[in-house]
Amino acid sequence: MRKHAVKDAMKHAWRGYSAYAYGKDEVLPVTKGWNSKWGGWGVTLIDSLDTLYIMGMKSEFKRARNFVADIDFTKTIEGHHTSVFETTIRVLGGLLGAYELSGDELFLKKAVEIADVLMPSFHTSSGIPYPYIDINSQSPIDSNSTNIAEIGTLQLEFHKLSFLTKNLDYYEKTELIIDILEKSKKPIKGLYPILVDINTKELSGKISVGARGDSFYEYLLKLYIMHGKNKNKYREMYEEFVDSFSQHIVYRSNDDSKMAFMVELDGETLEPIGIMEHLYPKTFVIACFMPGLLALGSKELNRPKDLELAKDLMKTCYYTYKMMPTGLGPESIEFEFDTSTLKTTNKKTIRLNVNKNSSKKGEFEPSFSIHKPEYILRPETVESLMILYRITENEIYQEWGWEIFSAIEKYTKTPIAYSAYDNVANTNKINSWSNSMESFFLGETLKYLYLLFSPVDYISLDKYVFNTEAHPLKIIK
Ligand code: DMJ
């Protein structure tokens, strides 16, 4: 069965991590070494706990649990700047996910420990947290600027911790951020410029559902769900976002494929980035978590149109894998616009460079060029496939996921683990391994693949929301 093949992949990665890097942050999957790039607490181990649990890897889970018991979260590598966002989603989220599934109080105790050493980062005049902190001295790293993803992707974890411990501080400190963002001035309703001034609370910069924007929007919907659908503020903010997203961010090709894709908007002109500046304007496909988010929102908020958009964007994300020689998806893609169509036809219609020769079954396949050629074992596309499958029960999403998993197996599997890949157009795998396996490969990518091939009620979407690092948090009834 397919889910067993995914479990075998997890076993392979875990064996390599255990043999060469147990308790370290990451294993180096080619040179068989390890790194401490996250401060040295063992982020891969913590990020993997609930994946081990979900896959029934009981002895591995138990051993990892005992390792966690001895982690001292008050100390880190000398001089290390700890990211508040990454630590929240991977470490706090990982511990809470393990607690929610196993009920083992140790994980809750450790979750409190890690949350508490992050709290000084909230000591600013505005209440907007600094992005980094020196854990050893408990001093935040001074900064004037942060972004909406870094401050708007803490709430699921801190709210859940508040609920479990009855300590309101975790809730209030992170909820204040949502209040600030709700009241902030936005050029388009529901769309937030990504940069945040920590002192003035003002937003600036581009509008993007890609890096530095993405998971803030994700948390609006998931907060509404996790709080048992009784805090309408989150729903309103999410619905405003999706309405403007559909109107301003999604573009379609004007060929028969009507392929949907996403752009970023210039914060001043509110035009898609690229259109105004270049002779041959380009934009990038980004944010393949969006199909899953739209599908989840469509189910939870009864918005059937969102599901149709989710399906269209899912297809585009899938093609970014399918059309590459390795079957792995690049970090980002360029579409070339035909600007003349912008002036003469509906502004929302952009002609893609369509490669008719590669059409199959009467469908056009858009021809992309690669912008950033690496695949770093990211989860977003398989995450969306899992949600689309669970909501539609259309097996095509399992087929697409299987194709992607097969490409991961074929090209990124090293003798001891899995490796990020330099160039998805290069089928010479040995030359392409970049000797890195991020913790999200075990925490997210393999977990979502496993769930994609599991019965739809296993770790059901009716009982759990997944934080942005795929850690399941129980919906509060
Ligand atoms: C993960 O840490 C999370 O999914 C985050 O929201 C975005 N980046 C990585 C995966 O790509």
Side-chain angles (χ1 to χ4, degrees):
M1 264 160 60
R2 289 175 170 181
K3 73 172 189 174
H4 292 138
V6 178
K7 182 172 173 179
D8 285 344
M10 180 68 188
K11 282 184 175 167
H12 178 70
W14 193 254
R15 261 196 306 271
Y17 174 71
S18 302
Y20 298 100
Y22 201 80
K24 307 292 184 195
D25 283 338
E26 294 173 352
V27 68
L28 303 180
V30 179
T31 53
K32 303 183 178 173
W34 49 268
N35 69 34
S36 298
K37 78 178 208 201
W38 299 96
W41 293 323
V43 73
T44 295
L45 185 141
I46 301 168
D47 221 356
S48 302
L49 287 164
D50 50 21
T51 305
L52 295 172
Y53 192 94
I54 285 170
M55 293 188 184
M57 294 171 65
K58 288 188 184 148
S59 60
E60 292 90 341
F61 178 78
K62 202 169 158 207
R63 183 177 170 216
R65 180 254 182 230
N66 292 338
F67 183 88
V68 168
D70 291 332
I71 299 175
D72 181 355
F73 286 123
T74 65
K75 303 241 168 357
T76 184
I77 286 173
E78 197 55 38
H80 183 72
H81 291 182
T82 298
S83 160
V84 176
F85 160 74
E86 296 286 0
T87 307
T88 298
I89 66 170
R90 299 188 197 218
V91 180
L92 178 55
L95 293 166
L96 287 172
Y99 174 71
E100 295 278 53
L101 294 178
S102 70
D104 185 334
E105 293 290 331
L106 169 85
F107 294 119
L108 184 56
K109 177 174 159 268
K110 299 307 281 187
V112 170
E113 284 176 24
I114 188 63
D116 286 350
V117 297
L118 297 177
M119 292 313 271
S121 62
F122 290 87
H123 297 162
T124 59
S125 58
S126 62
I128 295 172
Y130 291 116
Y132 292 92
I133 179 165
D134 181 332
I135 295 284
N136 296 323
S137 64
Q138 282 290 279
S139 320
I141 311 302
D142 197 24
S143 166
N144 293 324
S145 172
T146 181
N147 61 63
I148 57 170
E150 286 192 339
I151 63 171
T153 316
L154 311 169
Q155 288 71 16
L156 281 178
E157 297 82 356
F158 279 88
H159 287 195
K160 173 57 82 166
L161 190 64
S162 181
F163 174 78
L164 293 171
T165 60
K166 312 285 174 243
N167 179 347
L168 268 182
D169 202 33
Y170 302 130
Y171 173 83
E172 284 168 356
K173 290 252 172 12
T174 50
E175 184 61 4
L176 175 66
I177 299 167
I178 301 288
D179 291 338
I180 290 171
L181 290 172
E182 185 191 20
K183 291 190 194 103
S184 65
K185 202 163 154 257
K186 305 168 251 312
I188 302 172
K189 207 174 168 189
L191 295 178
Y192 300 65
I194 57 172
L195 300 179
V196 185
D197 188 308
I198 293 177
N199 305 308
T200 65
K201 311 180 202 174
E202 277 168 18
L203 308 185
S204 62
K206 66 183 177 182
I207 290 169
S208 173
V209 293
R212 298 187 288 165
D214 48 9
S215 42
F216 159 61
Y217 298 113
E218 177 186 349
Y219 272 30
L220 294 177
L221 174 65
K222 291 185 173 179
L223 279 166
Y224 181 67
I225 298 171
M226 190 181 80
H227 282 288
K229 296 194 188 170
N230 57 34
K231 296 201 180 196
N232 271 328
K233 174 175 70 176
Y234 305 134
R235 177 180 187 147
E236 281 158 21
M237 290 172 81
Y238 174 76
E239 292 196 312
E240 275 180 12
F241 157 63
V242 178
D243 291 341
S244 291
F245 169 84
S246 320
Q247 210 187 326
H248 298 277
I249 305 274
V250 178
Y251 278 72
R252 285 179 187 272
S253 61
N254 62 358
D255 56 71
D256 290 349
S257 75
K258 293 278 175 267
M259 198 59 86
F261 61 102
M262 296 170 264
V263 300
E264 296 182 311
L265 301 180
D266 183 289
E268 300 289 314
T269 64
L270 304 180
E271 292 283 351
I273 289 174
I275 288 191
M276 305 304 284
E277 300 135 35
H278 303 290
L279 190 53
Y280 299 105
K282 292 170 178 183
T283 191
F284 313 124
V285 166
I286 42 172
C288 283
F289 75 101
M290 268 311 299
L293 185 68
L294 288 166
L296 186 65
S298 130
K299 167 180 172 283
E300 298 293 338
L301 310 179
N302 192 21
R303 293 173 56 101
K305 267 192 177 167
D306 292 355
L307 184 57
E308 295 316 305
L309 181 55
K311 289 178 187 169
D312 289 351
L313 289 170
M314 188 74 261
K315 195 168 171 185
T316 307
C317 290
Y318 161 65
Y319 271 109
T320 66
Y321 284 69
K322 178 183 162 63
M323 295 191 65
M324 299 302 143
T326 54
L328 299 170
E331 184 76 354
S332 60
I333 296 272
E334 292 181 354
F335 291 86
E336 293 204 6
F337 294 359
D338 174 351
T339 40
S340 61
T341 60
L342 282 171
K343 291 176 194 121
T344 55
T345 64
N346 176 359
K347 189 163 162 279
K348 290 279 290 175
T349 302
I350 288 177
R351 184 185 296 282
L352 296 182
N353 180 14
V354 173
N355 178 358
K356 292 185 181 165
N357 296 333
S358 64
S359 68
K360 278 186 194 147
K361 295 183 197 153
E363 272 184 17
F364 288 118
E365 292 186 350
S367 71
F368 312 121
S369 43
I370 296 173
H371 176 242
K372 289 188 186 157
E374 65 272 19
Y375 172 63
I376 63 164
L377 304 171
R378 281 197 195 278
E380 284 80 359
T381 297
V382 296
E383 166 184 356
S384 284
L385 286 170
M386 187 282 275
I387 299 171
L388 265 284
Y389 171 67
R390 287 192 164 202
I391 286 170
T392 64
E393 296 199 34
N394 183 342
E395 286 170 5
I396 191 72
Y397 300 117
Q398 288 185 316
E399 293 308 315
W400 292 356
W402 184 249
E403 281 177 33
I404 291 171
F405 176 68
S406 304
I408 289 173
E409 278 292 292
K410 184 166 176 191
Y411 288 104
T412 72
K413 188 172 186 176
T414 73
I416 65 148
Y418 292 81
S419 175
Y421 206 80
D422 271 351
N423 182 354
V424 296
N426 185 356
T427 53
N428 182 340
K429 66 181 181 183
I430 310 275
N431 289 340
S432 303
W433 290 334
S434 44
N435 200 23
S436 154
M437 183 174 75
E438 286 252 14
S439 68
F440 54 66
F441 179 64
L442 294 84
E444 291 195 72
T445 311
L446 291 178
K447 183 190 289 145
Y448 282 132
L449 281 163
Y450 187 81
L451 294 177
L452 172 65
F453 302 124
S454 298
V456 295
D457 57 356
Y458 185 56
I459 317 291
S460 164
L461 293 176
D462 294 329
K463 293 195 182 123
Y464 295 92
V465 282
F466 291 90
N467 88 335
T468 195
E469 190 79 4
H471 299 302
L473 303 174
K474 279 187 194 147
I475 293 169
I476 299 169
K477 295 288 178 203

